[in-house]
Amino acid sequence: MTNKYLKIKQLLFRYEKYGTELTENGTILIGHPDYLPKLWWLIQLYPKLEENDIKVLEKECDMPIPHQYKEFLLHFANGFDFQNGDFTLYGLRKILGRSIEASRQPFSLKTPNRSERNLIKNVKNSFFFIGSYSWDGSRLYIDIDTQKVHLCSRYDAKSLYEWNNLEDMIISELTRLYRYYTEDGKPINEHISMLPI
C-alpha cells in the first residue's frame, strides 16, 4: 500500500478503538460506540475491486473510469461511507436486495454517471461523478481532462470547489469532517453544513 493510501487508511480507522468487524462480503465496519443501534457503524470501507470488476463498472457507466479513481478502486477500496453518508465515495454494487449483506455495499457509480446524468445541468463528457455529501446531495466528480476533483450541487455540475487530485480531496475532507464530531463520533451540531464551502 502506497503512502498516499496509508494516510487515508489511518484517517478511516480513527474510530477503530470502538470496534471493527469484517463482513461476509469483505466490508470492514469501523467504529461502533455503545450509543449506536446494533447494526450501525460509523464507517464502512468496501473491499477493493479486480480488473474484471472495472470492466463491469465501465460498461455500467458507459464511460471510462478516470485513472486515479480506477487505481483507488483496485488498490485501496470499492468506495466508503463516512458517518452514515455524510461523505461517501461510490463503487460497484455486486449484490441486489435488502439484506444486511446487500446493504454493506457502496452506492453505485452507475447512478450519477448514467441513470441521473441527464438531470444534472452543465455536465461535460469529461466529468465522472464519484461521490456525495448527505447534507444536501452535493456531488463530487473528477474532470478527466484536468484530473482535478470538484464539488458541485446536486443538479448543477458547475464547480463550487476544487482539489488538485483524488488523494488530496479524500485526506483534506476526512481531516476536516472529523472536526464536526466528538471523539466517539457524535455530531457536535447537526444543523450546520458539512460541505467544504
Coordinates of all heavy atoms in Angstrom, one line a residue, residues 146 148-151 159-165 169 197:
T146 N -8.6 17.4 -16.7 CA -7.6 18.1 -15.8 C -7.1 17.2 -14.6 O -6.2 17.6 -14.0 CB -8.2 19.4 -15.2 OG1 -9.3 19.0 -14.4 CG2 -8.7 20.3 -16.3
K148 N -8.5 17.1 -11.9 CA -8.9 17.7 -10.7 C -10.3 17.2 -10.2 O -11.1 16.8 -11.0 CB -9.0 19.3 -10.8 CG -7.6 19.9 -11.0 CD -7.7 21.4 -11.0 CE -6.3 22.0 -11.1 NZ -6.3 23.4 -11.0
V149 N -10.5 17.2 -8.9 CA -11.7 16.8 -8.3 C -12.5 18.1 -7.9 O -12.0 19.0 -7.4 CB -11.5 16.0 -7.0 CG1 -12.8 15.5 -6.4 CG2 -10.6 14.8 -7.3
H150 N -13.8 18.0 -8.2 CA -14.7 19.2 -8.0 C -15.9 18.8 -7.1 O -16.4 17.7 -7.2 CB -15.2 19.7 -9.3 CG -14.1 20.2 -10.2 ND1 -13.8 21.5 -10.3 CD2 -13.3 19.6 -11.1 CE1 -12.8 21.7 -11.2 NE2 -12.5 20.5 -11.7
L151 N -16.3 19.8 -6.4 CA -17.6 19.8 -5.7 C -18.6 20.6 -6.5 O -18.3 21.6 -7.0 CB -17.5 20.4 -4.3 CG -18.8 20.7 -3.5 CD1 -19.3 19.4 -3.0 CD2 -18.5 21.7 -2.4
S159 N -18.6 23.9 -11.0 CA -17.7 23.7 -9.9 C -17.8 24.8 -8.8 O -17.8 26.0 -9.1 CB -16.2 23.7 -10.4 OG -15.3 23.5 -9.3
L160 N -18.0 24.3 -7.5 CA -18.1 25.2 -6.4 C -16.8 25.2 -5.6 O -16.6 26.1 -4.8 CB -19.3 24.8 -5.5 CG -20.6 24.8 -6.2 CD1 -21.7 24.2 -5.2 CD2 -21.0 26.2 -6.6
Y161 N -16.0 24.1 -5.8 CA -14.7 24.0 -5.0 C -13.9 22.9 -5.7 O -14.5 22.0 -6.4 CB -15.0 23.5 -3.6 CG -13.9 23.7 -2.6 CD1 -13.6 24.9 -1.9 CD2 -13.0 22.6 -2.4 CE1 -12.6 25.0 -1.1 CE2 -11.9 22.8 -1.5 CZ -11.7 23.9 -0.9 OH -10.6 24.1 0.0
E162 N -12.6 23.0 -5.7 CA -11.8 22.0 -6.4 C -10.6 21.6 -5.6 O -10.1 22.4 -4.7 CB -11.4 22.5 -7.8 CG -10.3 23.6 -7.8 CD -9.9 23.9 -9.2 OE1 -10.7 23.9 -10.1 OE2 -8.7 24.3 -9.4
W163 N -10.1 20.4 -5.8 CA -8.9 19.9 -5.3 C -8.0 19.4 -6.4 O -8.5 19.1 -7.5 CB -9.2 18.7 -4.4 CG -10.0 18.9 -3.2 CD1 -9.6 19.2 -1.9 CD2 -11.4 18.9 -3.1 NE1 -10.6 19.4 -1.1 CE2 -11.8 19.2 -1.8 CE3 -12.5 18.7 -4.0 CZ2 -13.1 19.3 -1.3 CZ3 -13.8 18.8 -3.6 CH2 -14.1 19.1 -2.3
N164 N -6.7 19.4 -6.2 CA -5.7 19.0 -7.3 C -5.8 17.6 -7.7 O -5.6 17.3 -8.9 CB -4.3 19.3 -6.8 CG -4.0 20.8 -6.8 OD1 -4.6 21.6 -7.6 ND2 -3.2 21.2 -5.9
N165 N -6.2 16.7 -6.8 CA -6.3 15.3 -7.2 C -7.2 14.6 -6.1 O -7.6 15.1 -5.1 CB -4.9 14.6 -7.3 CG -4.1 14.8 -6.0 OD1 -4.5 14.3 -5.0 ND2 -3.0 15.4 -6.2
M169 N -8.1 15.4 -2.0 CA -9.5 15.6 -1.7 C -9.9 14.7 -0.5 O -10.5 15.2 0.5 CB -10.4 15.4 -2.9 CG -11.9 15.6 -2.6 SD -12.8 14.2 -1.8 CE -12.8 13.0 -3.1
I197 N -17.5 24.4 1.7 CA -17.7 25.8 1.3 C -18.7 26.5 2.2 O -19.5 25.8 2.9 CB -18.3 25.9 -0.1 CG1 -19.5 25.0 -0.3 CG2 -17.2 25.5 -1.1 CD1 -20.2 25.2 -1.6

